Amino acid sequence: MYAIVDIETTGGHASANGITEIAICIHDGKEVIQRYQTLINPGKEIPIYIQTLTGISNDMVQDAPYFKEVAYDIYHLIQGHIFVAHNVNFDYSFVKYHLAAAGYDLQCAKLCTVRLSRKILPGKTSYSLGKLCHQLGIGNSARHRAAGDADATAELFSLLLENDSNQHIPEALKQRSKEQVLPPNLHRSFIDKLPPTPGVYYFHDNKGKVVYVGKAVNIKKRVASHFSGNNSGAQRQDFMRNIHQISFQECGTELMALLTEAVEIKRLWPKFNRSQKKLEFNFGLYTYEDQRGYLRIAVDKRRKYSTPVHTCSSLLEGRNVLLKLIDAYQLCPKFCFIQKNNDTCTGALQAQCACTGHESVEDYNQKIQQAIDGLKQTLPTFAIRDEGRTSDEHSCILIEEGRLYGMGYISHYFEVNSLSQLKNHLTPYPGNDYMHNMIINHAEEHPWKKVAFTELREMA
């Protein structure tokens, strides 16, 4: 037995919206044997654009029962039957959510007539209920009303049952089948092509644009997890409706997948990614030449297209680095913007500071350069060599002077005999503190994967 359901609502997700009308057609596999329909008071105002679409006004539902008042009838009509709807996850999420609020736990197998129509009746120009029914000659005198759409869906479902020569419906109902939980616009073939390997996956909308990027240790398993459950939130409902295609990129290791995900989120800026999109207001040490020719060094916010001599995550961290350089190389605190008052600086008290003109441009600039060189010497340069995508290659990530240079894949037999040679085999990528810390922490936890700075420096 099938319960063919259609609902009208005040909005697109169950957790913040109500049902204004519900219609249920009980179908025995041959025909509809029972019908149920009622308006429902959603307990909130119906938006004007919803009223225009459905024709259901606030006045029409004012005296209608609240959902909890009809929950008993709805639950006992549907429970034990197969829940059928056009884009079933939408209707099911609303009905399940509001039944749960009334104290009923709905558990049903589901069938989606959008997905089934794509398989059983391929080649149609559109699979929206209205356009599909028009192509098939199925009448509907009450479009966007629950009773009219439920009757049309029931007639469509009868047609699907009659034409299911390849047994798509029984296949979708198998206990292990995940067909009914997939997004309505996603063909099963995209799932079947996914590998059980580490990598990055991309969800595309109907125009092919990437709307979400994720990483996984097992791409196939991780993608499937996105479609489990019946989350009724707005983000999930919008997310599911926008998935039309899936592509992927295999990576040798989880670390490579994490880094690739970070790079791709910054590059593509996908609609449904939330993490890693926040702009980073990091700081850096910058040098410039003043009007007298003295090199000055200061801490400032990192700006687009700027190249700092050293990067740091906060103003305090940058200031502490600068204080160490001032002490180690006898730099002028005023020329480093550490001392901003009019008092005489430490160097000037010794009658040898650049800010008083007692130290020549050449001498002071040489100390600045020594300080920068010394700072770079303290930053790690190393590579992480790990498993590749196949048995005859290795993944490789290069950190140069504390920053990500790039990553890629090298032959299993490739010998790292110079830093410049290694760079020729890697693709440069922009890094950030999140990525750098991830790589450095990984190297500390897995020292056997690390080709250390001293090795690379000696080979260069």
Side-chain angles (χ1 to χ4, degrees), residues 286-417:
Y286 292 88
T287 60
Y288 69 93
E289 187 178 299
D290 68 15
Q291 292 180 339
R292 292 188 294 166
Y294 285 97
L295 286 177
R296 299 209 180 194
I297 187 166
V299 184
D300 198 4
K301 280 185 178 180
R302 292 181 62 185
R303 290 177 170 80
K304 200 172 183 180
Y305 306 120
S306 64
T307 307
V309 297
H310 179 70
T311 56
C312 39
S313 59
S314 67
L315 182 63
L316 178 61
E317 180 187 338
R319 181 181 172 85
N320 289 337
V321 170
L322 200 47
L323 285 170
K324 290 178 181 178
L325 294 180
I326 291 170
D327 183 59
Y329 295 93
Q330 288 79 55
L331 303 181
C332 174
K334 286 190 174 182
F335 274 20
C336 295
F337 299 94
I338 292 295
Q339 182 178 332
K340 297 183 180 180
N341 57 34
N342 293 321
D343 296 343
T344 304
C345 74
T346 306
L349 289 173
Q350 299 173 2
Q352 59 183 18
C353 194
C355 65
T356 60
H358 288 93
E359 187 170 18
S360 69
V361 170
E362 292 77 12
D363 289 344
Y364 186 75
N365 288 356
Q366 185 177 9
K367 290 198 301 185
I368 288 287
Q369 192 58 54
Q370 289 172 347
I372 293 171
D373 291 342
L375 184 59
K376 289 183 178 180
Q377 291 290 331
T378 66
L379 300 174
T381 296
F382 63 89
I384 292 180
R385 188 168 187 166
D386 206 346
E387 294 180 8
R389 298 161 299 184
T390 61
S391 59
D392 60 352
E393 72 175 13
H394 282 164
S395 60
C396 189
I397 303 162
L398 176 61
I399 288 284
E400 185 175 30
E401 295 179 348
R403 312 300 292 176
L404 174 66
Y405 169 81
M407 56 187 179
Y409 296 91
I410 58 178
S411 168
H412 181 82
Y413 304 102
F414 179 78
E415 293 293 336
V416 181
N417 50 30

Side-chain angles (χ1 to χ4, degrees), residues 79-217:
Q79 182 67 16
H81 298 333
I82 296 164
F83 192 109
V84 181
H86 207 68
N87 189 2
V88 70
N89 289 322
F90 175 82
D91 297 79
Y92 189 80
S93 68
F94 263 89
V95 175
K96 183 176 176 63
Y97 179 88
H98 288 284
L99 280 174
Y104 298 94
D105 181 22
L106 182 66
Q107 298 292 337
C108 290
K110 297 180 291 182
L111 286 175
C112 178
T113 52
V114 176
R115 298 191 58 79
L116 291 172
S117 296
R118 290 181 185 278
K119 292 189 171 191
I120 299 171
L121 305 172
K124 304 302 179 185
T125 56
S126 173
Y127 288 89
S128 67
L129 182 61
K131 292 180 179 178
L132 181 59
C133 287
H134 179 74
Q135 294 174 78
L136 297 172
I138 297 173
N140 186 349
S141 59
R143 185 76 180 99
H144 295 301
R145 289 296 300 268
D149 286 350
D151 282 340
T153 304
E155 191 171 343
L156 170 62
F157 186 62
S158 293
L159 190 63
L160 295 174
L161 287 168
E162 292 171 9
N163 289 273
D164 188 22
S165 57
N166 292 320
Q167 299 296 296
H168 291 296
I169 293 173
E171 185 65 27
L173 289 172
K174 285 182 179 178
Q175 187 174 2
R176 293 185 179 182
S177 173
K178 299 298 182 182
E179 185 79 20
Q180 64 267 35
V181 303
L182 296 181
N185 298 309
L186 181 67
H187 196 278
R188 177 79 200 195
S189 61
F190 288 104
I191 299 295
D192 295 337
K193 293 175 184 176
L194 297 175
T197 56
V200 173
Y201 55 92
Y202 307 81
F203 292 156
H204 303 257
D205 64 14
N206 60 334
K207 295 181 180 178
K209 183 178 179 180
V210 174
V211 294
Y212 183 82
V213 176
K215 70 86 188 173
V217 176

Side-chain angles (χ1 to χ4, degrees), residues 8 56 119 215 424:
E8 303 301 332
I56 301 174
K119 292 189 171 191
K215 70 86 188 173
N424 290 334

